[in-house]
Amino acid sequence: MFTSSTCSLLRDQNTVLGVTGTTFCPEQFMNQYFQLFFYCLFLLVYRLHGRYHEMAPNVVPMDYTKDPDVKLPMQLIINMPELKENPFKERIVASFSEDGEGSLSFNDFVDMFSVLSEMAPRELKAIYAFKIYDFNTDNFICKADLEKTLNKLTREELTDEEITLVCEKVIEEADMDGDGKLGFADFENMISKAPDFLRYSLGNQVYQQKPF
Amino acid sequence: MSQPPSITLQVPEGTESDGQELSPDNERALHTSFHQLILEQSSLIEADLELELQERSREPPACLDTRDACAVSWPEPGQGEEHPSYSSASLQILASMPSRTIGRSLGAIISQYCNRTARLRRRSNRPPLQQLCRAARPSLRQYNLDTDPASTTLEEKRRLLVKELLSLSPSQCSHVLLTMPLSLEEKRIIRQQLSGQRGPLGQRAHHWAPFSSCGWPKVCIVLGCRGLWYRLLSLLRTAQPWHYALKQIGGRFGSSVLSYFLFLKTLLTLNFVSFFILLAFVVVMQAVYPSAAVSPQPFTGLELLTGAGSFTNSLLYYGYYSNVTLNDPCSSSPEGSECPLAAPLLPYNLPLAYLFSVWVSFLVTCILLVYSVSRSFLGSVRSSTAVLAIKVFCAWDFKVVQRRSVKLQCENICTQLKELLGEQSSRSRSQSRCQVLGHYLVMLLAWVLALGLASGCVLGVHHLSERMHTVQQEQQAQGSARWQQEILLLVVPFVVSLLNAVMPHLFNLLALWEKQDSPVTQVSVAIFRNLILKTMVLILLCYQWLSRSIICSAEECWETCVGQDLYRFMVMDFIFTLLDTLFGELIWRLILEKRQKKKQRPEFDIARNVLELIYGQTLTWLGLLFAPLLPALQMLKLLLLFYIKKTSLMRNCQSPSKPWQASRMSTLFITLLCFPSFLGAATFFSYTIWSVRPSETCGPFRGLETIYKSGKRWMLVLEKSNPNITWFAWVYQYLLENACLQFFMSAALIAVIYFNIQVVRGRQKVICLLQEQIAKEGEDKAFLIQKFQNVYEQRRRRS
């Protein structure tokens, strides 16, 4: 039954973490997480804490009852196996970082996995996708942002004229209010026409170590 | 920054702006509300602006909410570059506009969601549509300008949001909280405030604590199940056959070449369905109760090619199947006498089963084809507007984590973007009138030539089959060896397949001479000509089979003979496809490399290969009635073809030099499969059932007038045996046989289709109008910003 397996897994996690007592105050903490944003399996939170701790064992505490203020820098996080090969890894991490420099606290870390998981709603994914593609963080996807996106997508295989052409065409197709760049409304409108958005882009990942 | 100047937004009384630009106060007669409102709000805004600017200059940014400051400071350098003439005041106002702070400024998100929840509450009070005014510009009075969210602090905004959330139901509230793009910290604070205010009010605490001791297992189960379901779905997607092979092909050669392989996969599915139905209901039954067989001939290897010899009286062909009810003790007793009262184990009426299975497999294939046509048509229509933008933003599959797959994906996207660009650039080229006329003349000539060639081929095949028939009769009269006679049977299929292999190359040469502009037109024209040739040859063959004047005229069991002929055609087709792959791709590549000393490889001709697939599938469908195991043969053929084509592609070919978009091509392919191919085969089947007399001595319908009569006979038997179901006979007689009902049903279907088309057109018009409105609003915004800037400049110059 699921209960016994999850309980045993919890116990295993605790022993792996090397702590006998409660690390998390499970009830209140889990309540909060469940209510606030729970799109990934709740067990992931324990695993995520394990992964977060693994990245910097000396810095990340085991005990989160007192809500410590610990942030890991971007360099550590983009070396995670799920993100290492992704060309947008810096942007993904930066979009979830609250201090503008790309370092994530544990809350931001869980936030990131929550939005990138399968069950997050489309609107939320659209907002974060927009943030990811907005390289200069001016809340518009302008031509420079598009050029950077294309270079990352194609590993700079396209020639310069092709890139310019693609950027012009994209802005022509998606910009509706005529300001020469894509605002969030334009982006969302374009995404709504794409049936593949939830399937590929930022959707339907299974960011887990191993299935249970 | 020096002392910020005071800013007023009092619109000047008309003398200054007269003659310069059209300002709202010139249109006073029409827009009094607008003017009034500007005057009302100007004093408010003036005071607020002063306050805001003074605050921002006095207090260091660290005291303010860091995120608000960031939102203000980041855009400034960028926008300063864009609008160098704008003052810092304008830039700050621009920066705090709602459209520029989405997802970035905490305050803006909170106020936006506050508005959303307020609108949620007010939704029931919305006035009906007819009462809304039809002005293009909605009046500003609809918006509540008194509580300007930009002027409140973060704490106040939070309080406002909490107040709004409290008024919603708990489920709606949690849903709104879930969808907010805020950080976890913020959500916890808001939730704490919510629960603090809700707690003393009602006993709703248990909603917020599912992890109490009784709730934990249930939640575990629910979430666990959901997780398992998602994992199963993703596993299913990756466990599709040839998943990695298709990705590899798509990554290297583009989606156009991939569409061929996907089409092959579709055909395999269709054949599997037919095969399964026929196997389960006809072949297995007959295999379990074998009919009294003629002594089987020894197996020589020639049967694999000719399908005759020892294969003749086997499950492969129509002639083997018995016309009696299997496992029925009554069949052994003579007609008319009474049957023993003991009930038979499971009597199985084989002729009926045969007819119904073939009919049902056609029906199921028809449904599947119509479904895939509609789906691909919808897909190609929907994605025609913002193709490039969608490709750029939605093509990256965030699931791939391995280096090699990531590289493959990059290649894939690069190829697709180049394809799209190529297609879009080819549309924008114009020609002079003389060139256009010359072009049309060349096209006409090419068409005449192509049609002439096709007719010539058809006549040639007709004469050849007549000649072969006479030679065969001579051979039989002479009494030569069986294998010699059977070899003669292979001549016509050989020649037909040879023509099908050679003529498309001629058509390609013709197309090169024609020099069409867009590759899409070129491919479509080549497909169409090839299709005409194949259709004409197939029509000739069908006529020959059904009239039996040339082929199978001497046979007693003509259906088996036709089945064997189809078998031979399919085998020859497969052999020629292999030879074509060998010579067309491998040897051509070797020749090119030797001759030109550079790595130029032949291109994969998608159109020709797809038409070959369609031709093979048409043969299968034509022969379904006469040889029930043909789908199995076709499946085997397709499986082998996949691997052979893929290997040859990887080794010998290069990606198409003129990249063109594949989604419309795949719609074309599946439409071609549905309309000429399947429809033709279904017509052939219907005609055979309704009008052709089955042979007297073999098959499940021996002795009947037409195959259709067996169904009628069964109806009569049913009516006689069980008088309670006369309604069934009545249904059969009046609904199925009566043409009126079918006429009315077709008319209703056409009416429904027309209605849907009109609805779609209406919606497209509405979309166009709305897009125009958005563009106009954008222009309005730019106008207002410019106006504000002008006013500020004038004020600054004055002071």
Side-chain angles (χ1 to χ4, degrees), chain A residues 27 107 131 139 169 204, chain B residues 100 102 185 211 237 424:
Chain A
E27 313 266 327
N107 285 330
K131 277 198 202 181
N139 271 316
K169 285 255 155 37
N204 204 17
Chain B
R100 296 190 183 212
I102 178 77
E185 289 294 333
F211 284 100
R237 208 170 288 140
Q424 294 201 357

Side-chain angles (χ1 to χ4, degrees), chain A residues 27 31-33 36 39 41 85 87 98 107 118-119 131 133 139 153 169 173 181 190 204-205, chain B residues 67 100 102-103 178 183-185 188 211 223 226 230 237 388-389 392-393 396 398 401 403 424:
Chain A
E27 313 266 327
N31 280 343
Q32 290 173 0
Y33 277 108
L36 289 175
Y39 299 115
L41 295 176
E85 297 296 334
E98 287 297 317
N107 285 330
E118 298 150 345
M119 302 175 224
K131 277 198 202 181
Y133 291 125
N139 271 316
L153 274 179
K169 285 255 155 37
E173 280 171 1
K181 15 188 202 187
M190 182 199 46
N204 204 17
Q205 284 96 340
Chain B
R67 296 177 208 94
R100 296 190 183 212
I102 178 77
L178 285 174
S183 71
L184 198 54
E185 289 294 333
R188 280 163 87 181
F211 284 100
L223 289 178
R226 216 199 300 179
Y230 281 120
R237 208 170 288 140
L388 206 55
V392 169
F393 289 119
W396 182 262
F398 277 73
V401 291
R403 187 170 296 200
Q424 294 201 357

Side-chain angles (χ1 to χ4, degrees), chain B residues 422-724:
Chain B
E423 193 189 305
Q424 294 201 357
S425 69
S426 72
R427 280 195 211 136
S428 51
R429 254 183 261 144
S430 54
Q431 288 176 318
S432 73
R433 197 173 268 191
C434 202
Q435 279 180 327
V436 166
L437 200 65
H439 184 72
Y440 275 127
L441 206 64
V442 166
M443 252 176 59
L444 189 67
L445 207 61
W447 270 105
V448 163
L449 207 61
L451 286 173
L453 275 173
S455 323
C457 289
V458 167
L459 280 172
V461 169
H462 181 71
H463 285 303
L464 181 72
S465 37
E466 280 185 341
R467 179 96 184 93
M468 280 296 117
H469 183 67
T470 41
V471 168
Q472 228 177 347
Q473 279 177 335
E474 282 168 19
Q475 290 264 343
Q476 253 181 350
Q478 283 174 11
S480 53
R482 211 180 158 75
W483 68 268
Q484 274 178 332
Q485 289 181 22
E486 289 187 358
I487 284 286
L488 281 177
L489 293 169
L490 284 175
V491 173
V492 175
F494 181 85
V495 168
V496 168
S497 301
L498 186 70
L499 285 173
N500 278 331
V502 166
M503 293 306 292
H505 289 286
L506 284 176
F507 288 144
N508 278 345
L509 284 175
L510 207 61
L512 273 177
W513 174 64
E514 232 183 305
K515 272 197 279 274
Q516 294 274 4
D517 272 337
S518 106
V520 178
T521 328
Q522 199 175 31
V523 169
S524 311
V525 162
I527 288 179
F528 200 61
R529 285 180 189 155
N530 207 350
L531 188 70
I532 288 177
L533 171 73
K534 290 189 157 78
T535 317
M536 285 167 75
V537 167
L538 277 175
I539 290 176
L540 173 74
L541 289 173
C542 288
Y543 169 72
Q544 284 182 347
W545 285 324
L546 285 181
S547 66
R548 277 168 287 132
S549 51
I550 305 170
I551 303 179
C552 305
S553 53
E555 297 277 336
E556 281 188 1
C557 198
W558 65 269
E559 291 98 345
T560 307
C561 177
V562 171
Q564 285 171 343
D565 220 13
L566 275 159
Y567 177 93
R568 286 189 280 266
F569 271 96
M570 278 181 69
V571 169
M572 274 296 147
D573 182 49
F574 179 59
I575 291 175
F576 267 88
T577 314
L578 287 180
L579 285 176
D580 181 54
T581 313
L582 193 68
F583 285 107
E585 291 170 13
L586 175 65
I587 296 191
W588 192 240
R589 169 180 75 104
L590 292 172
I591 291 176
L592 277 177
E593 276 182 357
K594 284 253 168 62
R595 233 213 289 165
Q596 301 200 355
K597 297 278 187 240
K598 59 178 172 175
K599 282 248 172 183
Q600 192 191 5
R601 292 169 164 201
E603 282 182 18
F604 186 77
D605 193 346
I606 300 161
R608 198 165 46 87
N609 283 299
V610 165
L611 276 180
E612 275 175 24
L613 283 180
I614 294 181
Y615 172 75
Q617 189 58 42
T618 318
L619 288 176
T620 314
W621 281 331
L622 285 173
L624 205 61
L625 183 64
F626 304 112
L629 281 179
L630 267 187
L633 186 68
Q634 174 76 351
M635 272 171 65
L636 193 65
K637 199 173 113 177
L638 287 173
L639 273 171
L640 287 173
L641 212 58
F642 182 88
Y643 289 108
I644 292 169
K645 284 281 176 190
K646 178 174 165 270
T647 322
S648 163
L649 182 75
M650 289 293 181
R651 299 234 174 120
N652 304 329
C653 297
Q654 67 177 16
S655 40
S657 58
K658 276 195 192 171
W660 42 271
Q661 202 182 16
S663 68
R664 246 171 277 151
M665 282 294 128
S666 32
T667 316
L668 181 69
F669 297 155
I670 199 102
T671 317
L672 282 178
L673 186 69
C674 192
F675 289 115
S677 167
F678 180 75
L679 208 62
T683 319
F684 178 75
F685 170 68
S686 316
Y687 182 77
T688 315
I689 290 195
W690 256 295
S691 313
V692 179
R693 195 185 179 87
S695 55
E696 299 283 335
T697 54
C698 66
F701 305 107
R702 59 191 92 161
L704 293 172
E705 208 179 298
T706 62
I707 298 179
Y708 184 67
K709 288 283 193 295
S710 73
K712 264 201 160 165
R713 198 170 68 161
W714 175 65
M715 284 305 310
L716 292 171
V717 165
L718 207 64
E719 227 183 316
K720 239 195 305 182
S721 64
N722 197 347
N724 289 339

Side-chain angles (χ1 to χ4, degrees), chain B residues 295-339:
Chain B
S295 56
Q297 297 176 11
F299 178 79
T300 61
L302 205 58
E303 272 87 18
L304 290 174
L305 272 183
T306 60
S310 64
F311 278 2
T312 314
N313 283 315
S314 66
L315 282 167
L316 196 54
Y317 298 115
Y318 171 100
Y320 181 74
Y321 293 86
S322 57
N323 67 332
V324 294
T325 309
L326 302 171
N327 203 18
D328 186 3
C330 283
S331 62
S332 49
S333 53
E335 285 281 340
S337 67
E338 282 221 357
C339 278

Side-chain angles (χ1 to χ4, degrees), chain B residues 95-228:
Chain B
S96 43
M97 278 203 299
S99 65
R100 296 190 183 212
T101 52
I102 178 77
R104 213 144 295 279
S105 156
L106 188 64
I109 297 176
I110 291 182
S111 13
Q112 189 197 33
Y113 275 87
C114 187
N115 286 338
R116 252 191 225 184
T117 46
R119 254 182 275 151
L120 253 175
R121 261 195 312 117
R122 272 190 242 136
R123 204 167 272 180
S124 52
N125 307 333
R126 195 170 60 176
L129 208 59
Q130 288 89 2
Q131 291 180 13
L132 282 181
C133 66
R134 291 174 197 237
R137 262 183 245 186
S139 162
L140 281 174
R141 280 205 183 123
Q142 282 183 13
Y143 296 100
N144 197 355
L145 285 176
D146 295 330
T147 54
D148 184 13
S151 58
T152 51
T153 63
L154 198 60
E155 274 308 313
E156 287 177 29
K157 285 178 201 166
R158 244 187 236 135
R159 237 177 289 133
L160 260 167
L161 180 64
V162 169
K163 198 176 77 169
E164 288 293 337
L165 283 175
L166 275 176
S167 56
L168 294 174
S169 68
S171 58
Q172 256 181 329
C173 177
S174 58
H175 181 72
V176 171
L177 264 180
L178 285 174
T179 53
M180 268 201 245
L182 291 171
S183 71
L184 198 54
E185 289 294 333
E186 265 307 310
K187 288 192 196 180
R188 280 163 87 181
I189 297 170
I190 292 175
R191 206 203 126 253
Q192 272 169 11
Q193 289 187 355
L194 265 174
S195 55
Q197 297 201 18
R198 242 198 241 268
L201 287 175
Q203 268 72 43
R204 301 187 199 179
H206 63 272
H207 274 283
W208 300 88
F211 284 100
S212 55
S213 52
C214 57
W216 180 286
K218 222 192 308 179
V219 164
C220 277
I221 293 169
V222 163
L223 289 178
C225 285
R226 216 199 300 179
L228 264 183

